[in-house]
Amino acid sequence: MARLELDDVTKVYDTRNETIVAVEELDLDIRDGEFIVVVGPSGCGKSTTLRMIAGLETVTNGEIRLGNERINERAPKDRDIAMVFQSYALYPHKTVRDNIAYGLQLSTDLTGEEIDKRVENAADMMGITDLLQKKPSALSGGQQQRVATGRAIVREPELFLFDEPLSNLDAKLRKHMRTELSRIHSEFRTTTVYVTHDQEEAMTMADRIVILRSGELQQVGAPKEVYHRPANRFVADFIGSPSMNFRNVELNRSGGQPRLSGDGFEYDLDDRVLSQVNRSTSKLEMGVRPEDVTIDPNAPTEKSFEATVDVVEIVGSDNFVYLSLSDKEFRVRVDSSIEPSEGEVVRMTFDDDDIHLFDTTSGEAYAHGLPRTDRTVTADKGDTIAD
Ligand code: ADP
């Protein structure tokens, strides 16, 4: 097991027509045993980052260290890293047993007996013992995924790299495999870097999430941290499903009561939230998560407003309600007991602590309310989270 550090790592692709900066000055310090998930939209540099760590791409600038040693120039086979690809990359003519054993035969001097033992242990752990004599073509996608993971486990490497390993599986199996991979990680505690475009996968599996955009690091933090305290609008939008609602607002501090005014609504803001907005600007962007909004006809008018119900989606435990506020959509996720009719005018509200405020130009976060779990304890003391 090992610590993995990326120090100012940049990757530039020079193609005939253009120069693409795929990863720009990326700094990461991944602790020994940590499970890191790298997320971001397609083309943000996730795979390139992973491939540089694996040695499948050269590093244009900067340094990668594994266990405190520079590995930039080390050949992939000498890095003590095992990688699982989205395509599984199994050898079609080899049996499952030989697929799992092959890497060990190449890279170690273990005896045949020792290799057999390791393969059987890995197969047992992945629940594929009865498949050992089969060829990959006889296996389902989920089974092939298990073989690919077994082949990585058996190497007992310093570092696991996963490149969208569950993308080809159906939704139910994907959830199941997430739990399996988390279980394996808690057993081995091998440092892991896992790439996905799926924020839910990141939230459920990661010790810490790394969010990239156009090759640039946006935020590194525990799932709760990036959810409750997104560093900027991009992270706020990317993390959480359905995604956060955004509205341009003006902050009016004149008179007694600070007030947020937007297209079609006004909201009286508590001073403690306002105190976090220490810039002089009055134009801001407000973000509110769908799950933080409630529909309540008795909500105080100074903190609530009316909107028209466009669509109600019943998803079982919750209902997704799409409201129209000044002709713009406002997504709300409410308990399944609340089922307004389409076309109905409802009163919606959210707490001061559910508000996130962002710079309209840079997208940088100015202020966040307190996470719900912290409210009863800290809010009473009048504390705020100051950036
Ligand atoms: P992601 O994995 O997040 O989808 P990638 O790391 O694959 O993103 O790609 C990051 C950027 O680098 C994209 O703009 C992509 O087009 C570009 N890129 C990736 N590989 C190459 C390559 N071999 N040659 C040129 N450009 C590349």
Side-chain angles (χ1 to χ4, degrees):
M1 286 191 275
R3 174 185 183 187
L4 173 72
E5 294 159 280
L6 274 67
D7 204 350
D8 226 10
V9 168
T10 294
K11 175 67 186 182
V12 179
Y13 289 108
D14 268 317
T15 65
R16 217 179 306 154
N17 303 324
E18 53 179 344
T19 299
I20 297 165
V21 183
V23 177
E24 194 168 1
E25 297 174 1
L26 180 59
D27 285 320
L28 289 177
D29 187 351
I30 298 170
R31 292 188 283 270
D32 184 4
E34 223 178 349
F35 196 115
I36 290 288
V37 179
V38 182
V39 282
S42 180
C44 72
K46 304 181 295 292
S47 291
T48 302
T49 302
L50 210 64
R51 292 171 63 80
M52 283 192 287
I53 298 169
L56 303 173
E57 291 287 355
T58 56
V59 176
T60 310
N61 261 316
E63 186 169 83
I64 301 181
R65 290 186 294 276
L66 183 61
N68 300 324
E69 282 181 39
R70 178 183 167 101
I71 57 167
N72 289 41
E73 292 77 21
R74 215 182 273 177
K77 67 176 177 46
D78 300 327
R79 291 191 182 202
D80 206 1
I81 291 173
M83 187 157 170
V84 178
F85 298 89
Q86 181 178 350
S87 61
Y88 316 135
L90 301 176
Y91 297 103
H93 304 300
K94 291 185 191 294
T95 61
V96 167
R97 177 183 284 277
D98 290 344
N99 261 288
I100 297 176
Y102 189 59
L104 280 183
Q105 286 157 355
L106 285 190
S107 63
T108 64
D109 46 17
L110 294 173
T111 64
E113 208 172 306
E114 285 166 329
I115 289 177
D116 280 349
K117 193 153 180 244
R118 276 215 208 171
V119 170
E120 277 150 30
N121 279 346
D124 183 38
M125 178 160 268
M126 295 311 301
I128 51 171
T129 303
D130 53 342
L131 304 178
L132 283 172
Q133 297 317 318
K134 296 201 169 169
K135 298 267 175 68
S137 57
L139 308 182
S140 69
Q143 289 169 331
Q144 291 187 38
Q145 215 301 316
R146 284 164 194 272
V147 177
T149 308
R151 186 174 56 178
I153 291 174
V154 85
R155 299 256 315 271
E156 298 181 10
E158 294 256 47
L159 181 68
F160 277 134
L161 301 177
F162 288 94
D163 193 1
E164 306 244 7
L166 308 183
S167 302
N168 295 339
L169 305 181
D170 66 53
K172 197 169 172 196
L173 195 52
R174 207 158 54 223
K175 282 198 174 156
H176 179 70
M177 284 305 293
R178 266 189 221 158
T179 318
E180 294 246 319
L181 292 177
S182 297
R183 179 179 59 79
I184 287 166
H185 180 254
S186 53
E187 196 151 320
F188 285 91
R189 288 265 149 232
T190 306
T191 314
T192 300
V193 184
Y194 184 107
V195 158
T196 178
H197 62 274
D198 179 346
Q199 62 88 31
E200 194 181 310
E201 219 162 271
M203 291 295 281
T204 50
M205 296 177 85
D207 290 325
R208 283 191 301 160
I209 300 179
V210 170
I211 298 137
L212 295 181
R213 177 195 195 185
S214 308
E216 289 182 39
L217 181 64
Q218 303 294 300
Q219 189 169 9
V220 186
K224 269 189 173 175
E225 197 178 336
V226 297
Y227 176 84
H228 290 297
R229 298 180 52 75
N232 57 37
R233 187 195 189 284
F234 177 82
V235 175
D237 190 29
F238 194 79
I239 299 289
S241 177
S243 52
M244 191 182 268
N245 297 288
F246 295 98
R247 276 291 184 285
N248 284 321
V249 290
E250 201 146 331
L251 175 61
N252 184 348
R253 298 166 194 253
S254 61
Q257 181 64 53
R259 176 170 294 174
L260 289 177
S261 311
D263 202 1
F265 74 94
E266 302 216 310
Y267 187 101
D268 286 356
L269 206 58
D270 277 3
D271 279 332
R272 64 193 171 79
V273 177
L274 182 72
S275 68
Q276 300 179 59
V277 189
N278 52 8
R279 321 295 206 282
S280 56
T281 181
S282 62
K283 288 194 189 315
L284 295 161
E285 197 168 11
M286 176 188 82
V288 180
R289 294 200 181 278
E291 54 273 35
D292 291 334
V293 181
T294 46
I295 292 176
D296 177 3
N298 302 317
T301 49
E302 64 277 14
K303 287 191 188 292
S304 68
F305 28 92
E306 289 185 331
T308 311
V309 177
D310 272 342
V311 177
V312 180
E313 279 177 8
I314 313 252
V315 291
S317 55
D318 301 318
N319 289 339
F320 294 162
V321 182
Y322 296 84
L323 297 170
S324 175
L325 181 68
S326 297
D327 290 333
K328 283 193 209 131
E329 185 182 273
F330 209 100
R331 294 173 296 281
V332 178
R333 183 174 177 169
V334 291
D335 189 85
S336 59
S337 61
I338 299 172
E339 199 181 325
S341 317
E342 289 172 12
E344 190 182 335
V345 174
V346 294
R347 182 159 285 279
M348 61 181 249
T349 184
F350 41 82
D351 200 87
D352 290 83
D353 279 317
D354 297 321
I355 295 174
H356 304 258
L357 293 171
F358 304 94
D359 186 298
T360 43
T361 316
S362 67
E364 181 196 349
Y366 278 167
H368 306 289
L370 288 169
R372 277 169 198 266
T373 42
D374 297 348
R375 284 181 202 175
T376 43
V377 187
T378 337
D380 288 350
K381 296 183 202 154
D383 286 356
T384 57
I385 300 173
D387 278 333

